[in-house]
């Protein structure tokens, strides 16, 4: 009767959803808005149509929370987006105020225009998820050394912006294929004064919500309340300097350093639906007045980093504990709420089905179902399939309580477990256990964590260098941190290959000077300040490759010291240099189509003298990951993993590329999540297969956020088995609980380890058990009668 009524209702209420039987929901509504706007009609649409509601992007990363709770995989791209915006906000704030630690001469010490342009190019070229990068200056607040006689003058407008171009039909590529390595670069501050629609500070511009988030900086009260940061600088000649500068708000400030825009259609520019992270850039304004009491810190510009909205995962699961709102798409999943619960998956972008339906506590999968129901399969099901019970879990007929008062395990049974885990009976004590063929994971973890500043000098250098498989997972978990280094390597490579300090241009335009010490110090500093996982960052120039310096290596760190050994002798530096000394064929080739202002005042855009131009640089795969090592040379000693990536420039004759140096970032090893679950034999993971799940009835699933410690997994019941205990929230055995009970068993203490296993999924109802018992009793009576 219910099915008949529902079919009649669907016949009367026709919808335009994915399938006819499915009612229209928020996903269909937003999909319709996305498809409605395109490059041909966006200019004629009302402003409300080219913006999406704020709750279409949910679970935005909060910088106040990322240190406490793990950021899940479907939000790591957004986290990196915000970190990149922070990076640029810190750098340009620092370099704009670095002139105060330099002699007062007729020079602004500011980066030239080419520095800004190539900086935004590197933001996009090194990050596949980033579509656009820009720096928007408020009117008459951008100082520049790029024009002769322009000291202490400002551009009316200045806004260097780069976005990724679709080069499928570009004549540069005869192969007719998209490379995603072509970038359109514009100075959006070069426009006619009569054109209000090109004035990015005007309400007539339309999609400039990123500007109004922070600018204009109309502060009520005192401007000197801008957040200040202190940097202690030690130069090669052993002189020290402390520099205090104003920058973006701190993580603990209200509202914080990052503001997000609503998704909007980037009309007339990239013509895509974008989401932007916006961070302010601070400076002392006005400059060179001679009266410091009227020079005050203010926000003069914003750093805007944008990504494609359709590449952001949506969450269709209902609002619940741990899955808070606001979320426009909440509750649009098709899980059967009576027997299943919804769990989001990552990597689906803006499309249906990015979730799976797990069984509720007290329910189990059918004997023919291997894994939780995939949302994509449910979304494509027919009406008959959906309501036939195919996607329902089966009720468990009877449940038992966990043992409250455990006892010691039977000696014979305990011995069987110990034989199965023989590494706990025969192992090398201490740090030598890391070299055992079959490791005792508890001994290994305790030994690694046992190294500290008081005892590290008792070990040989080779003892403090772990095998590479103890850093398994760093490539994925620290990928965003490595991209910070790749971004800087891309920028330096682009600057050295495209910008020539000896170039002479027509008119009053001047070429950018060579990279300065302050700029390199600021770049290293910005990496460390923008990403909480990065412990230190360095820019290591090869011998005689930086102007007027034999060796130059600005190194920024939080609490760790780099040491005294010359960096050119370090293994990571020599390896990187040897790898890239002669062969540059595998480097990525990036094309830059740059248009800059015609005059100082702007007026209109003009093609760069070398249009289009290109540069070659390393990508993420070209970098070098070190094995985990313990740094015993500084006041803060810890285990680290280093990522190094090279940068390149022309030789002295501008004939061929040469290795110029390397960028490094280091991350704490103990922040890495280890994986104890079984893996393929070729996976270089020292901890694989060390879980404590019952392999006959359950399988291991990694859990994120547990760090470099045991128990970062859960034991799920395999097909044909069920979770036997009464639990309100769980249908699995937690890995930390399994490890604890195992250690109790190992030390012959009271334990419940033998009871933590799934049982055969026999009967769905208690009555069926009674029926089987009655049959057995009847058969026994018949046999006895005979």
């Amino acid at each position: 009767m219910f099915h008949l009524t529902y079919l009649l209702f669907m016949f009367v209420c026709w919808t335009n959803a994915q399938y006819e039987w499915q009612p229209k929901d928020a996903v269909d509504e937003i999909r319709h808005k996305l498809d409605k706007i395109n490059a041909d009609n966006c200019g004629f649409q009302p402003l409300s149509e080219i913006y999406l509601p704020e709750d279409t992007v949910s679970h935005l990363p909060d910088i106040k929370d990322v240190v406490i709770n793990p950021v899940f995989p479907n939000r790591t791209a957004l986290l990196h987006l915000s970190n990149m915006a922070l990076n640029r906000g810190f750098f340009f704030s620092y370099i704009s105020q670095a002139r105060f630690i330099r002699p007062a001469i007729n020079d602004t010490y500011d980066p030239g225009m080419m520095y800004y342009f190539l900086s935004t190019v590197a933001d996009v070229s090194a990050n596949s998820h980033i579509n656009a990068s820009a720096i928007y200056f408020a009117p008459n607040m951008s100082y520049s050394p790029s024009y002769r006689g322009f000291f202490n003058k400002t551009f009316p407008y200045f806004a260097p912006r780069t976005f990724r171009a679709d080069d499928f039909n570009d004549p540069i590529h005869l192969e007719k294929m998209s490379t995603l390595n072509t970038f359109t670069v514009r100075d959006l501050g070069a426009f006619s004064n009569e054109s209000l629609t090109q004035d990015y500070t005007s309400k007539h511009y339309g999609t400039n919500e990123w500007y109004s988030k922070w600018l204009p900086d109309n502060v009520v009260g005192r401007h000197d309340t801008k957040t200040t940061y202190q940097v202690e600088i030690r130069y090669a000649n052993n002189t020290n300097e402390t520099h205090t500068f104003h920058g973006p708000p701190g993580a603990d400030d209200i509202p914080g350093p990052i503001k997000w825009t609503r998704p909007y259609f980037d009309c007339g520019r990239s013509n895509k639906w974008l989401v932007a992270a916006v961070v302010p850039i601070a400076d002392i304004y006005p400059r060179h007045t001679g009266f410091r009491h009227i020079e005050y810190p203010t926000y003069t510009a914003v750093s805007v980093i944008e990504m494609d909205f359709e590449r952001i995962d949506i969450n269709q699961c209902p609002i619940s504990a741990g899955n808070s709102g606001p979320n426009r798409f909440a509750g649009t999943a098709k899980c059967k709420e009576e027997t299943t619960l919804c769990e989001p998956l990552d990597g689906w972008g803006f499309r249906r089905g990015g979730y799976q339906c797990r069984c509720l506590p007290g329910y189990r999968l059918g004997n023919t179902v291997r894994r939780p129901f995939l949302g994509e399969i449910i979304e494509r099901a027919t009406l008959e399939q959906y309501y036939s019970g195919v996607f329902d879990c089966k009720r468990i007929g009877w449940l038992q309580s966990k043992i409250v008062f455990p006892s010691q395990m039977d000696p014979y049974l305990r011995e069987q477990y110990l034989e199965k885990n023989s590494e706990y009976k025969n192992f090398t004590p201490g740090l030598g256990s890391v070299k055992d063929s079959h490791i005792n994971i508890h001994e290994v973890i305790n030994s690694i964590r046992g190294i500290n500043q008081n005892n590290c000098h008792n070990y040989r250098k080779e003892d403090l260098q772990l095998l590479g498989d103890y850093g398994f997972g760093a490539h994925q978990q620290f990928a965003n941190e490595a991209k910070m280094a790749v971004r800087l390597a891309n920028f330096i490579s682009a600057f050295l290959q495209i910008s020539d300090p000896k170039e002479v241009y027509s008119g009053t335009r001047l070429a950018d000077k060579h990279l300065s010490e302050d700029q390199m110090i600021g770049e290293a500093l910005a990496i460390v300040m923008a990403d909480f996982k990065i412990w230190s960052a360095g820019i290591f120039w090869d011998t005689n490759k930086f102007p007027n310096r034999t060796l130059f290596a600005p190194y920024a760190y939080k609490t760790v010291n780099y040491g005294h050994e010359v960096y050119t002798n370090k293994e990571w530096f020599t390896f990187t240099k040897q790898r890239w000394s002669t062969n540059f064929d595998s480097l990525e080739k990036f094309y830059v189509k740059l248009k800059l202002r015609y005059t100082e005042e702007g007026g209109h855009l003009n093609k760069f003298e070398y249009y289009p131009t290109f540069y070659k640089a390393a990508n993420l795969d070209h970098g070098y990951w070190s094995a985990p090592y313990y740094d015993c040379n500084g006041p803060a000693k810890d285990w680290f993993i280093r990522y190094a990536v090279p940068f390149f420039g022309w030789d002295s004759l501008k004939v061929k590329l040469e290795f110029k140096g390397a960028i490094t970032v280091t991350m704490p090893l103990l922040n890495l999540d280890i994986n104890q679950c079984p893996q393929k034999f070729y996976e270089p993971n020292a901890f694989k297969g060390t879980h404590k799940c019952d392999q006959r009835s359950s399988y291991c699933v990694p859990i994120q956020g547990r760090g470099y410690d045991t128990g970062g997994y859960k034991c799920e019941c395999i097909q044909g088995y069920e979770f036997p205990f009464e639990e309100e929230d769980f249908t699995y055995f937690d890995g930390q609980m399994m490890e604890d009970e195992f250690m109790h068993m190992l030390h012959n203490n009271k334990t419940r380890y033998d009871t933590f296993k799934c049982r055969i999924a026999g009967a769905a109802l208690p009555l069926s058990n009674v029926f089987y018992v009655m049959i057995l009793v009847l058969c026994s009576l018949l046999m006895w009668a005979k």
Side-chain angles (χ1 to χ4, degrees), residues 396 535 575 640 669:
I396 299 176
W535 206 260
F575 177 87
F640 294 104
L669 173 68

Side-chain angles (χ1 to χ4, degrees), residues 392-411:
D392 281 297
C393 290
K394 311 298 182 184
R395 187 175 184 84
I396 299 176
W398 58 277
L399 296 170
Q400 62 192 74
S401 298
K402 289 182 180 178
I403 296 175
V404 179
F405 302 104
S407 59
Q408 286 183 320
M409 187 177 290
D410 179 78

Side-chain angles (χ1 to χ4, degrees), residues 246-448:
H246 301 274
D252 296 331
D253 295 338
I254 306 284
I258 302 164
K259 291 184 180 180
W260 298 87
T261 66
R262 292 176 293 170
Y264 68 96
F265 190 81
D266 194 32
C267 185
R269 306 198 301 179
S270 60
N271 293 316
K272 292 178 177 290
W273 286 94
L274 302 178
V275 175
V278 189
V279 172
I281 296 171
D283 194 5
I284 305 297
Y285 184 86
R287 296 186 179 183
H288 309 292
T289 63
F291 303 98
R292 293 303 301 273
H293 65 281
I294 64 172
E295 296 178 2
Y296 54 87
T298 185
Y299 294 144
T300 59
V302 289
S303 170
V304 181
I305 309 291
E306 299 156 294
M307 73 176 294
D308 191 342
F309 168 73
E310 296 196 49
R311 298 189 69 177
I312 301 175
D313 294 336
I314 61 173
N315 187 344
Q316 294 184 251
C317 297
I319 300 295
S320 60
N323 186 27
S324 59
N327 178 11
R328 179 165 290 263
F329 308 108
T332 60
K334 300 297 188 297
C335 294
K336 295 298 192 66
E337 297 182 0
E338 299 82 9
T339 63
T340 63
L341 56 86
C342 180
E343 183 178 89
L345 302 176
D346 63 277
W348 290 77
F350 186 83
R351 59 190 179 107
R352 292 179 178 275
Y355 59 90
Q356 62 182 8
C357 302
R358 310 186 63 84
C359 293
L360 285 169
Y363 292 83
R364 63 170 176 83
L365 292 171
N367 292 338
T368 59
V369 183
R370 185 180 297 270
R371 294 292 186 268
F373 305 109
L374 285 178
E376 183 184 28
I377 305 299
I378 300 176
E379 295 279 354
R380 295 181 179 182
T382 63
L383 178 66
E384 291 78 13
Q385 289 175 323
Y386 186 76
Y387 286 104
S388 64
V390 174
F391 304 114
D392 281 297
C393 290
K394 311 298 182 184
R395 187 175 184 84
I396 299 176
W398 58 277
L399 296 170
Q400 62 192 74
S401 298
K402 289 182 180 178
I403 296 175
V404 179
F405 302 104
S407 59
Q408 286 183 320
M409 187 177 290
D410 179 78
Y412 177 75
L413 185 59
R414 176 175 176 271
E415 190 62 29
Q416 285 185 317
Y417 279 116
L418 293 180
E419 287 183 7
K420 190 181 298 184
N421 298 274
S422 59
E423 67 275 12
Y424 285 88
K425 300 178 69 174
N426 300 304
F427 62 88
T428 304
L431 202 56
S433 59
V434 300
K435 297 180 181 179
D436 288 346
S437 57
H438 194 190
I439 67 168
N440 178 335
I441 185 172
H442 288 87
E443 182 68 20
V444 167
I445 296 294
N446 292 336
S447 299
I448 291 175

Side-chain angles (χ1 to χ4, degrees), residues 429-434 441-459 463-464 466 630 632 637-639 669-670 708-709:
L431 202 56
S433 59
V434 300
I441 185 172
H442 288 87
E443 182 68 20
V444 167
I445 296 294
N446 292 336
S447 299
I448 291 175
R449 289 183 170 272
I451 306 297
N452 55 53
Q453 60 182 352
N454 298 320
N455 61 19
C456 67
H457 294 285
N458 300 330
Y459 294 86
D463 293 333
L464 300 178
L466 299 180
Y630 192 89
C632 200
K637 303 173 178 64
D638 210 340
W639 291 96
L669 173 68
L670 300 185
Y708 212 78
D709 206 348

Side-chain angles (χ1 to χ4, degrees), residues 486-558:
V486 175
R487 182 251 155 222
L488 184 52
N490 267 247
F491 165 71
I492 297 178
S493 298
F495 194 92
L496 296 180
Q497 296 172 44
I498 294 177
S499 179
D500 186 355
K502 300 179 181 178
E503 190 76 52
V504 177
Y505 299 109
S506 60
T508 58
R509 185 157 66 91
L510 300 174
D512 276 29
K513 297 179 181 180
H514 200 283
L515 297 173
S516 70
E517 290 185 8
D518 286 334
Q519 290 167 354
M520 295 295 94
I521 292 173
E523 290 285 3
L525 182 68
I527 292 178
V528 175
M529 297 181 72
D531 194 316
F532 77 96
K533 284 187 178 181
I534 295 179
W535 206 260
S536 63
I539 309 170
F540 299 90
W541 290 79
D542 201 5
T543 308
N544 296 319
K545 299 305 180 184
F546 193 82
N548 304 319
R549 291 288 184 274
T550 303
L551 295 175
F552 182 59
Y555 184 82
Y557 57 88
K558 290 174 180 173

Side-chain angles (χ1 to χ4, degrees), residues 739-754:
E739 297 286 342
D740 289 341
E741 295 296 335
F742 179 85
M743 294 306 293
H744 289 323
M745 181 273 298
L746 179 67
H747 295 115
N748 203 20
N749 296 327
K750 295 179 179 180
T751 181
R752 297 175 295 177
Y753 180 71
D754 189 46

